Amino acid sequence: MDNYYVYILTNWSNKVMYIGVTNNLERRLYEHRNNLVKGFTERYNVHKLVYYEYTQSAYAAISREKQLKGWTRAKKNELVETKNPEWKDLSKDCGKTWE
């Protein structure tokens, strides 16, 4: 079985959001946090995992990523707050540091 994740990262002040999709969340977070991913997340220090969803379908994950990217910032904020009202770094609560 395959694992796919749609995830939302933000910076320390929660001002900037990044939405991505991956088949290995642990590896992808490591890449973001160590600035191995050049571009937006590196430039804006977007390293805090505030939301993620799991699916076994690559198609479903990519479709969901596109859907979320089309949402307003207010709607994205509401989504995060449904599962993470304090905007904590969820990678630390999962028992992994992913750094």
Side-chain angles (χ1 to χ4, degrees):
M1 283 191 193
D2 293 326
N3 300 313
Y4 298 94
Y5 299 87
V6 177
Y7 61 94
I8 299 176
L9 300 177
T10 189
N11 62 348
W12 65 273
S13 62
N14 303 326
K15 299 286 184 200
V16 179
M17 276 188 166
Y18 175 85
I19 299 172
V21 65
T22 185
N23 67 344
N24 186 325
L25 188 57
E26 184 174 347
R27 183 201 74 233
R28 193 64 171 151
L29 289 173
Y30 177 86
E31 292 169 351
H32 283 301
R33 292 192 173 152
N34 290 283
N35 294 321
L36 302 176
V37 179
K38 301 301 176 196
F40 186 87
T41 57
E42 177 190 33
R43 190 171 328 133
Y44 295 102
N45 293 313
V46 180
H47 301 142
K48 184 169 70 167
L49 177 67
V50 292
Y51 182 85
Y52 65 94
E53 297 176 6
Y54 163 80
T55 183
Q56 293 178 339
S57 164
Y59 177 79
I62 292 167
S63 295
R64 180 65 166 160
E65 176 193 27
K66 288 178 182 180
Q67 178 187 40
L68 296 180
K69 286 182 174 184
W71 286 6
T72 65
R73 175 59 193 251
K75 194 168 179 180
K76 293 173 194 174
N77 288 351
E78 287 177 27
L79 178 66
V80 170
E81 290 169 2
T82 61
K83 294 192 177 183
N84 188 4
E86 296 177 14
W87 291 67
K88 291 185 202 176
D89 186 349
L90 298 177
S91 65
K92 294 178 181 173
D93 291 343
C94 294
K96 297 180 180 180
T97 58
W98 293 344
E99 295 188 69

